[in-house]
Amino acid sequence: MKQRIVTGVIAGFLFITLLVLGGYWYAGLIVLLSILGYREYIQMNGFTKHKLTGAVGLLALLYITIPWELAGVSLPLSSSAVIWLGMFLLLFITVASKNKITIDQVSVILLGVVYIGFGFYYMIAARLGDHGLFWTILVFVCIWASDSGAYFVGSKLGKHLLWPQISPKKSIEGAVGGVVISMIVAFGFAWFASDLLGFGQALFLGFVIAVVGQVGDLIQSAYKRVKGIKDTGTLLPGHGGVLDRMDSWLIVFPFIHFLGMIPH
């Protein structure tokens, strides 16, 4: 627990500092995390020997994740076009390898590109939008509040398991507690910045962030259970890997962007 706390404080301080600085600092950090997350994904799926397919996925991931507009670069292809082109190249590799690399394997790689690439891209997009610092901090704090609330409420009051086949320690009481605390936190943001966020909007946003964030956590738990692993990596002592710590982020940020719940 001591190691977990120390790692959390140091990593949290560094992350918040770069988030506040914004621009290349924050974007660079997120792109780096996307690369590390993709590496964890490749490793836990046993694709480390598939250098070519891994490289195709990584190039597609970087094309999607990097905020080229920061450098004033206008790219010729949209993200959806790159996803299609990546799919074509991966499928061609299955043909060229005479099925030594199978369609099942390249499908998993393509899924990882979409899951990780778009998840991290929208973390950057939120920061680059209007009043980006406010909205990005709001989303992160609501996610963290939901996680902490679910843990502490579940530890004290949890009696009914939420989804034991996937995550045997999570309780319905904890999940509800996480949602309520996230809503309270979002309400607090509206209290201090009512010109940017209405109270009703804040409560709805806090609710959505908590619910979708918990689903993101369950998605990663389900995946790790299938693979028979406890953590996706060892980057953060006591916390696991990038995908362990950012499972909620990867789902929440794209979700609220696609619904137009924050400016972008």
Side-chain angles (χ1 to χ4, degrees):
M1 180 59 71
K2 181 180 179 181
Q3 183 186 52
R4 184 182 179 90
I5 293 173
V6 171
T7 302
V9 169
I10 295 173
F13 176 78
L14 176 62
F15 184 84
I16 292 297
T17 299
L18 296 180
L19 171 59
V20 172
L21 288 174
Y24 290 110
W25 293 101
Y26 175 67
L29 173 64
I30 296 301
V31 171
L32 175 60
L33 290 174
S34 74
I35 295 171
L36 295 174
Y38 177 75
R39 182 172 178 268
E40 291 176 0
Y41 183 84
I42 291 295
Q43 288 179 331
M44 73 178 181
N45 281 287
F47 295 155
T48 51
K49 294 181 180 179
H50 299 170
K51 303 295 185 182
L52 183 57
T53 53
V56 170
L58 179 60
L59 289 175
L61 176 92
L62 292 175
Y63 192 100
I64 293 170
T65 308
I66 293 174
W68 301 99
E69 62 271 26
L70 266 181
V73 176
S74 179
L75 296 176
L77 298 175
S78 66
S79 294
S80 58
V82 168
I83 289 296
W84 189 92
L85 183 59
M87 177 198 71
F88 171 74
L89 291 174
L90 290 170
L91 290 176
F92 175 75
I93 289 172
T94 68
V95 174
S97 69
K98 299 178 181 179
N99 276 332
K100 290 180 180 178
I101 297 174
T102 68
I103 190 171
D104 293 340
Q105 293 170 330
V106 299
S107 298
V108 171
I109 289 177
L110 190 64
L111 175 64
V113 171
V114 174
Y115 172 53
I116 298 168
F118 282 103
F120 281 112
Y121 168 76
Y122 282 107
M123 293 178 208
I124 299 173
R127 182 65 178 88
L128 295 177
D130 294 336
H131 302 286
L133 181 60
F134 171 83
W135 292 108
T136 309
I137 289 179
L138 165 62
V139 176
F140 277 128
V141 173
C142 283
I143 292 173
W144 296 332
S146 174
D147 289 344
S148 299
Y151 175 78
F152 288 110
V153 173
S155 297
K156 296 294 183 182
L157 304 176
K159 294 182 179 179
H160 302 88
L161 296 180
L162 177 65
W163 216 312
Q165 298 89 343
I166 300 298
S167 187
K169 293 183 179 181
K170 289 182 172 62
S171 67
I172 294 175
E173 293 82 359
V176 173
V179 171
V180 171
I181 292 175
S182 175
M183 293 172 69
I184 292 172
V185 167
F187 188 88
F189 273 82
W191 184 272
F192 287 104
S194 57
D195 57 323
L196 295 177
L197 181 64
F199 291 115
Q201 180 189 3
L203 292 174
F204 182 62
L205 187 58
F207 173 83
V208 170
I209 290 172
V211 172
V212 175
Q214 292 183 31
V215 171
D217 184 275
L218 289 170
I219 288 171
Q220 194 58 236
S221 295
Y223 206 89
K224 288 189 291 186
R225 185 164 289 274
V226 168
K227 295 300 176 181
I229 57 176
K230 182 178 183 295
D231 296 318
T232 61
T234 58
L235 178 66
L236 302 170
H239 292 266
V242 169
L243 299 182
D244 290 310
R245 291 304 92 203
M246 300 165 194
D247 46 12
S248 299
W249 309 8
L250 291 169
I251 299 297
V252 168
F253 275 92
F255 190 91
I256 60 177
H257 269 82
F258 293 148
L259 293 185
M261 298 181 70
I262 64 174
H264 60 281

